[in-house]
Amino acid sequence: MDGLRQLLRGIEVFDGELPSFDPKDAPDSPVDLFTQWLLHALRSGVREPHAMTLSTAGADGDPTARTLILKDVSAEGWAFASDAGGVKGRDLAQRPFAALTFYWSPLARQVRVRGPVTAASPEESAADFLARGPRARAESLLGRQSTPLEDPVERERAVREAAGRVQRDPGLVPPGWRLQRVRPTSVEFWQGDRNRDHTRLSYHATRDGWERRLLWP
């Protein structure tokens, strides 16, 4: 294992030309700054900049994390989708709080979002589901995510049957589908630096809006 340890320690980080970030120029709202950073990542060619890590915890307090896709961001919060019967849905039913982490490696930028989670309206949830591709809708109709799979052939057969249901009824929406929003109590922006002069800017929700704080790297 010493060889692996040395290999990991030798991997270059913060390579290439990194963007600058002056917290004094940051907007008053974390939504605005996040949007700026997301669009910059997209223009810079970062692959899947809308991919994020969602961390939840169940009643036992044990954390679970997975990567999924950001659906929207607005003053209402950061949106993602889940099925009520899946691990995400069960965790959120027991503890409706979550953390999101974005990391855009080529830019050495990280964003962390924390706060309570609320479900969107049934109409919004249905619209989100119907915007998915046919295969994704068929998979979601099965409601079997994270359950044991004995044979991949079984999965393909079930998906074909669900795809037939989608074709016969294009407006079909599973009752447990939820569009969820993290309504942040805090949002942190981290800009890496080759010389380790990293910059951390944190937004904290207050009654009057947002309070900004610089943090030690």
Side-chain angles (χ1 to χ4, degrees):
M1 298 302 291
D2 287 343
L4 178 58
R5 185 182 299 110
Q6 292 301 319
L7 173 65
L8 293 175
R9 291 180 65 88
I11 296 174
E12 287 290 335
V13 294
F14 313 130
D15 196 17
E17 187 171 345
L18 303 179
S20 61
F21 174 50
D22 188 342
K24 294 193 297 294
D25 297 330
D28 293 333
S29 165
V31 172
D32 293 337
L33 182 54
F34 178 84
T35 302
Q36 291 177 15
W37 278 28
L38 178 65
L39 294 177
H40 183 267
L42 189 62
R43 290 192 300 267
S44 299
V46 176
R47 292 193 60 182
E48 300 172 353
H50 57 337
M52 61 187 184
T53 300
L54 166 69
S55 301
T56 58
D60 57 7
D62 287 347
T64 304
R66 74 289 283 168
T67 301
L68 68 167
I69 296 300
L70 176 70
K71 296 299 188 76
D72 190 22
V73 61
S74 68
E76 294 183 301
W78 275 250
F80 64 93
S82 68
D83 187 274
V87 175
K88 295 187 293 293
R90 296 196 303 270
D91 278 0
L92 292 171
Q94 295 167 335
R95 296 169 63 93
F97 296 87
L100 306 175
T101 307
F102 297 82
Y103 183 56
W104 301 310
S105 175
L107 307 176
R109 281 182 166 177
Q110 178 180 231
V111 182
R112 301 166 63 197
V113 183
R114 297 176 65 247
V117 178
T118 58
S121 68
E123 293 77 16
E124 287 181 288
S125 296
D128 173 81
F129 182 80
L130 295 175
R132 294 163 66 86
R135 172 82 182 199
R137 278 182 282 159
E139 289 269 11
S140 299
L141 282 173
L142 298 176
R144 299 182 187 178
Q145 188 178 55
S146 300
T147 60
L149 174 64
E150 299 297 334
D151 187 342
V153 174
E154 174 191 359
R155 174 176 179 264
E156 287 304 317
R157 181 171 58 250
V159 172
R160 283 198 303 270
E161 293 173 357
R165 295 175 60 195
V166 170
Q167 189 172 23
R168 292 190 298 272
D169 185 0
L172 183 62
V173 177
W177 191 258
R178 300 284 186 274
L179 183 67
Q180 309 271 16
R181 288 191 177 93
V182 178
R183 298 180 179 270
T185 55
S186 68
V187 184
E188 181 190 315
F189 296 83
W190 182 92
Q191 173 65 66
D193 180 81
R194 288 184 62 86
N195 297 317
R196 304 286 172 168
D197 189 17
H198 310 316
T199 302
R200 292 175 66 188
L201 177 65
S202 181
Y203 289 76
H204 288 261
T206 69
R207 291 183 179 180
D208 301 321
W210 294 95
E211 177 184 288
R212 291 185 295 177
R213 306 173 188 167
L214 284 174
L215 303 177
W216 281 83

